[in-house]
Amino acid sequence: MRIWPLKKQAQLVEKVKSYDPQVNEALITKAYDYSEQAHSDQTRASGDPYFMHPLKVAEILTEMHLDTNTIITGLLHDTVEDTLSTIEEIEENFGKEIAQLVDGVTKLSRIELPTESIREAENFRKFLLAMSNDIRVLLVKLADRLHNMRTLHHITAPEKRRRIALETMEIYAPLAERIGMRKMKDELEDIAFREINPEAYSSINQRLTYLKKKGGNLSKSIAAKIKRLLKKNGIKAQVFGREKTPYSIWMKMERNHLGFEQLSDVIAFRVIIEKVEDCYVALGIIHKTWSMVPGTFDDYISTPKRNGYQSIHTAIIGPDSYRVEIQIRTEKMHEISERGVAAHWSYKQGASEKDGTQYKWLQELLEILELATTPEEFLEHTKLEMFQDQVFCFTPKGDLIPLPRGSTVVDFAYAVHTAVGDTCVGAKVNGRHVPLRHQLENGDRVEILRSKAQHPSPRWEGFVITGKARSAIKRYVRKQANAEFGELGKTILQRAFRQENLEFSEKAITQALPRLDVGKLEDVYIEVGKGVLADRAAMELIFPGMDFKHTRKKGGPKLWAEKPSDPDAAISIKGLTPGVAVHLADCCHPLPGDRIVGLLEKNKGVITHTIDCETLENLIGDEDSWVDLSWLSQGEKPGIFAGRVSLVVVNEAGVLGNIATVVAKHNANISNLKIVDRDPDFFTMLVDIEVRNVKQLTDIITAMRTLSVVSTATRIRG
Ligand code: MN
């Protein structure tokens, strides 16, 4: 059923045609019919047929002089969200570009903005921009919002009206301003203001009406006087009286703590001139004729505002001693100030049509954005690369967290709170489990999973990219490292005391602090633990002149545990965390259950090797650096270690699957796999397997050997 006569359809096409001769009439007509049909069983809050809304949105877009595809997007913008239409269907009927635009608007509409106070408004504005990868998406969204604001009074629930008005005030009006669309911004703000502060709105409005009545033709007569004066001096100009909106007056009153009567620029004029040079000539004539109000002159022609706005501003004591504000600009400057990015677009349309319009659109938007920031905002997001390099993610409560592109779950957690970062173990992104190193995308909803047992790990430093995460991890690791170096150093000193049959005495060490050249006891332990201060040197300073009987046994002391601790027990090396003050050597990959020795390396702490590691052979004489180590059960969650296995397997299909199955059956993980040699019959490969201890690795190797496809399987070190 057709609700409106064909006339409406023809009118829309005519409007586009008036500024764009290239208009695709048939396609607009098709979109008109399609949308009308799709929305046919819906109505608006006003009781109007729903199709009225997309039609009005399309009309607003024609006022911005936008291209055929944008007008069609306006017509179709609610079909995917609110009717049975799909993006695929839109693409089939209207092509890829329109489908992408409609999809963009649909996505923007699905973003839930926070309901209460919009404290993160700036971030939401950025987020909307980041999501609108084609500026036309944003323009359609703004037109959509404008029409919804124009019909706001039809919504009966006051809270809903207020929420929409607040959102408009905080998010959409500033967005319109950011892309230079002053006219749209003014209207959005004014309607929102009326809703949010009805008393102020009506009192200002009454004053304005009163003044207009009282002034009668004042505005007209002043405009005529200015025009005549300029004409007499050979300058052709259009002069318009400019009515201020209640909201702009309200803001000015607030900003300058002025009463309504003190506002000088309730009467304002716009002087539109053909040539730029004549703007200055006109200014001279006006200033010569009437006196200028000091401090009101601004030349935004020679120094445009950051959003590209150009105009000369001045205020004079004008005809009949009225203080009036005057803006002088050219036609083009005027159009840009009214329509912002849309005007830029129509000026450049011809030039950029052929060569990758999409990208240019974005580029242009970002350039304007960059220019549009106020000095205060400037520091916050200076460069457009920074802006493009951001992703915007949500907490489960809907708070928005802006992050640099490439940020991981851990970066997000630290951005929320340091305590959240310190204890994060994983996350759900859009409901799906992801590991800590997972990189986030625009619009992701991130729920951080936490555990009290978790601590920041030095490994995280390898993938986090935000300064906050990095410094928090570093701080924790440094603190932790000092604690562990201290503990290690104390153990080493206790051993040294024992070897000399001395009772361990912190008092003795404390008294020796000046000789040790260290400030406090803990620092002595740390220095010894780090290997900066050798234990024997420390003993000689603690007990000066003492004759130390016990020298180290040649060939290295007995450095490993007499009997290996229970290989199945969860392990830790004397309570120290691997990776901080104790490191597991890369050459031999010690596993819990292996017999181990420690080598103290300066500033690194202890490097743990298996007792049969070849590396040790060269170091056997350097006995000062040997440390007694054993695996100790901690009763905590088992640690995970990497064991390396060399495999020679038959070259046939399914081999890797067989091996993976064996590993999985033993509740272990393959962390890395490298094929080192490959010939027609056999593969040789190195497999790193994450295990809890030696026994688990041995079991896996044994199981692998039973496979018919496995020729050999051996644990290797290095
Ligand atoms: Mn809509």
Side-chain angles (χ1 to χ4, degrees):
M1 180 191 75
R2 179 168 296 286
I3 303 160
W4 286 285
L6 274 167
K7 214 174 113 212
K8 284 246 174 205
Q9 205 161 358
Q11 271 174 358
L12 184 67
V13 172
E14 280 312 307
K15 262 187 202 155
V16 186
K17 221 179 192 173
S18 71
Y19 61 85
D20 180 10
Q22 313 282 301
V23 60
N24 186 338
E25 292 184 39
L27 204 60
I28 292 184
T29 306
K30 187 177 173 188
Y32 186 107
D33 289 338
Y34 181 93
S35 177
E36 186 178 20
Q37 183 61 39
H39 291 293
S40 61
D41 54 352
Q42 299 169 325
T43 47
R44 296 271 290 171
S46 59
D48 285 332
Y50 193 93
F51 178 65
M52 182 73 126
H53 167 65
L55 179 60
K56 287 286 176 193
V57 170
E59 279 176 16
I60 293 169
L61 293 165
T62 63
E63 282 156 29
M64 299 182 201
H65 293 191
L66 290 165
D67 64 324
T68 298
N69 287 358
T70 314
I71 304 304
I72 291 177
T73 304
L75 287 170
L76 301 177
H77 81 273
D78 276 333
T79 54
V80 174
E81 186 68 0
D82 295 340
T83 78
L84 296 173
S85 304
T86 62
I87 282 296
E88 291 72 32
E89 202 179 299
I90 302 273
E91 181 167 347
E92 225 167 85
N93 281 282
F94 302 98
K96 202 174 172 118
E97 188 177 324
I98 289 172
Q100 280 173 347
L101 290 171
V102 172
D103 191 40
V105 180
T106 306
K107 279 188 181 138
L108 282 195
S109 306
R110 281 180 184 158
I111 294 161
E112 275 175 45
L113 299 173
T115 42
E116 282 308 303
S117 82
I118 307 179
R119 65 196 160 86
E120 301 272 20
E122 174 60 15
N123 284 329
F124 273 93
R125 292 195 291 266
K126 285 198 222 161
F127 175 58
L128 291 181
L129 286 165
M131 294 293 280
S132 329
N133 51 3
D134 185 315
I135 182 114
R136 289 173 295 180
V137 168
L138 186 64
L139 295 175
V140 174
K141 187 67 203 160
L142 285 171
D144 174 44
R145 177 52 60 124
L146 182 59
H147 183 247
N148 285 336
M149 288 303 284
R150 284 177 181 170
T151 53
L152 186 66
H153 56 279
H154 289 301
I155 293 174
T156 42
E159 329 78 66
K160 191 174 176 195
R161 280 204 311 272
R162 193 181 157 78
R163 182 179 63 74
I164 295 172
L166 274 174
E167 205 178 83
T168 300
M169 192 64 112
E170 302 278 351
I171 306 220
Y172 292 99
L175 265 181
E177 182 178 34
R178 190 71 71 79
I179 57 175
M181 309 187 71
R182 197 199 52 81
K183 209 172 158 199
M184 167 149 333
K185 173 214 158 216
D186 281 353
E187 191 177 348
L188 286 173
E189 273 178 351
D190 221 44
I191 305 173
F193 177 56
R194 192 169 62 201
E195 184 59 43
I196 294 164
N197 199 339
E199 295 82 14
Y201 181 89
S202 84
S203 82
I204 291 174
N205 211 28
Q206 272 170 26
R207 286 299 291 163
L208 279 175
T209 317
Y210 168 78
L211 282 178
K212 234 185 275 172
K213 234 191 244 159
K214 187 181 144 213
N217 285 331
L218 185 64
S219 169
K220 255 193 196 143
S221 81
I222 294 177
K225 273 181 190 158
I226 297 172
K227 196 170 172 178
R228 227 172 356 215
L229 173 73
L230 292 175
K231 196 176 173 191
K232 208 171 75 190
N233 287 276
I235 292 175
K236 218 180 123 206
Q238 295 168 275
V239 182
F240 305 104
R242 180 168 65 95
E243 229 176 85
K244 292 241 153 173
T245 64
Y247 182 67
S248 69
I249 291 172
W250 168 256
M251 283 306 284
K252 203 148 199 169
M253 286 163 69
E254 278 212 328
R255 223 180 7 247
N256 305 328
H257 309 285
L258 294 174
F260 190 84
E261 305 303 335
Q262 293 161 278
L263 290 176
S264 65
D265 54 356
V266 175
I267 311 177
F269 296 92
R270 230 170 241 150
V271 180
I272 314 284
I273 287 170
E274 234 167 73
K275 283 186 275 179
V276 180
E277 310 85 79
D278 287 349
C279 291
Y280 291 97
V281 179
L283 175 74
I285 295 163
I286 290 168
H287 277 181
K288 222 161 60 191
T289 312
W290 295 292
S291 51
M292 173 192 158
V293 180
T296 57
F297 173 71
D298 278 306
D299 180 1
Y300 296 116
I301 289 180
S302 67
T303 315
K305 281 191 185 177
R306 288 174 174 212
N307 62 1
Y309 174 88
Q310 286 187 297
S311 199
I312 290 170
H313 289 188
T314 188
I316 52 168
I317 309 292
D320 309 318
S321 301
Y322 278 100
R323 267 170 75 134
V324 296
E325 192 190 77
I326 296 179
Q327 298 175 344
I328 307 169
R329 56 176 75 155
T330 64
E331 183 69 48
K332 183 179 170 183
M333 290 173 193
H334 180 59
E335 205 182 323
I336 288 174
S337 96
E338 298 284 295
R339 301 200 291 120
V341 74
H344 282 283
W345 180 79
S346 35
Y347 278 110
K348 292 190 182 174
Q349 192 179 14
S352 62
E353 193 103 85
K354 288 270 173 307
D355 46 1
T357 357
Q358 289 266 343
Y359 182 67
K360 284 215 161 146
W361 270 102
L362 177 64
Q363 202 54 27
E364 202 166 292
L365 166 67
L366 291 169
E367 269 163 32
I368 290 165
L369 273 178
E370 186 195 19
L371 295 169
T373 50
T374 64
E376 299 85 74
E377 289 172 13
F378 196 66
L379 283 175
E380 195 197 336
H381 42 89
T382 29
K383 292 251 149 53
L384 71 128
E385 300 92 67
M386 259 185 85
F387 180 79
Q388 279 175 314
D389 277 355
Q390 272 183 302
V391 292
F392 299 85
C393 303
F394 294 89
T395 66
K397 279 186 199 152
D399 287 337
L400 190 91
I401 309 287
L403 293 163
R405 192 168 289 281
S407 287
T408 62
V409 165
V410 175
D411 291 297
F412 181 93
Y414 275 107
V416 172
H417 196 278
T418 308
V420 176
D422 283 348
T423 53
C424 66
V425 289
K428 278 189 192 173
V429 171
N430 307 323
R432 201 168 51 86
H433 275 278
V434 297
L436 288 174
R437 61 187 321 131
H438 176 84
Q439 289 191 357
L440 299 171
E441 304 272 351
N442 243 335
D444 278 348
R445 194 165 289 270
V446 186
E447 183 190 341
I448 296 294
L449 308 173
R450 302 170 64 182
S451 160
K452 273 190 193 136
Q454 178 70 300
H455 296 296
S457 155
R459 283 181 303 115
W460 295 358
E461 276 191 81
F463 57 79
V464 298
I465 66 163
T466 54
K468 192 174 177 195
R470 207 172 277 278
S471 71
I473 296 165
K474 271 209 164 75
R475 197 182 322 120
Y476 178 85
V477 170
R478 201 183 308 125
K479 216 178 99 201
Q480 189 66 16
N482 275 342
E484 300 210 346
F485 280 130
E487 204 172 316
L488 179 63
K490 188 173 175 181
T491 312
I492 291 171
L493 280 181
Q494 282 170 333
R495 178 188 66 170
F497 273 74
R498 232 175 13 247
Q499 283 174 340
E500 299 303 329
N501 287 322
L502 293 163
E503 195 185 327
F504 182 67
S505 157
E506 296 204 325
K507 198 175 157 201
I509 305 171
T510 310
Q511 279 169 355
L513 286 178
R515 290 193 294 277
L516 290 161
D517 197 20
V518 173
K520 55 184 197 294
L521 180 65
E522 288 72 34
D523 292 343
V524 178
Y525 295 153
I526 290 171
E527 294 227 325
V528 173
K530 279 185 172 172
V532 174
L533 180 62
D535 55 349
R536 193 120 36 122
M539 290 302 279
E540 279 160 6
L541 289 167
I542 295 166
F543 302 105
M546 186 184 280
D547 182 21
F548 291 105
K549 292 174 290 211
H550 287 255
T551 49
R552 293 277 167 77
K553 290 171 204 152
K554 286 293 165 206
K558 205 172 177 190
L559 294 163
W560 52 93
E562 290 299 314
K563 67 174 170 62
S565 19
D566 178 8
D568 274 334
I571 66 92
S572 173
I573 298 169
K574 298 216 166 178
L576 303 173
T577 322
V580 181
V582 170
H583 306 270
L584 302 174
D586 288 333
C587 43
C588 50
H589 296 280
L591 290 172
D594 280 335
R595 301 222 294 171
I596 48 170
V597 298
L599 269 174
L600 193 55
E601 273 187 32
K602 227 177 192 174
N603 284 319
K604 275 197 194 155
V606 168
I607 315 293
T608 308
H609 296 264
T610 59
I611 193 65
D612 53 359
C613 178
E614 288 170 14
T615 315
L616 297 175
E617 309 231 319
N618 313 320
L619 301 162
I620 213 91
D622 189 12
E623 56 199 45
D624 265 1
S625 60
W626 294 81
V627 182
D628 196 357
L629 283 181
S630 67
W631 302 102
L632 275 197
S633 156
Q634 268 268 103
E636 268 183 22
K637 228 176 82 179
I640 296 292
F641 300 83
R644 180 166 286 189
V645 178
S646 170
L647 277 176
V648 178
V649 297
V650 179
N651 184 359
E652 65 176 53
V655 168
L656 289 179
N658 287 340
I659 288 160
T661 308
V662 166
V663 174
K665 271 192 180 153
H666 287 79
N667 292 317
N669 255 331
I670 294 178
S671 61
N672 199 7
L673 189 148
K674 199 166 97 190
I675 294 177
V676 287
D677 191 34
R678 162 177 223 169
D679 66 41
D681 302 321
F682 290 100
F683 279 11
T684 306
M685 56 192 173
L686 291 176
V687 188
D688 290 344
I689 303 173
E690 290 177 342
V691 291
R692 288 186 304 278
N693 52 47
V694 162
K695 184 168 184 298
Q696 195 186 8
L697 186 65
T698 315
D699 289 349
I700 290 169
I701 291 173
T702 311
M704 282 175 173
R705 286 176 183 153
T706 65
L707 294 175
S708 61
V709 289
V710 171
S711 166
T712 62
T714 35
R715 177 176 174 200
I716 64 153
R717 286 99 190 260

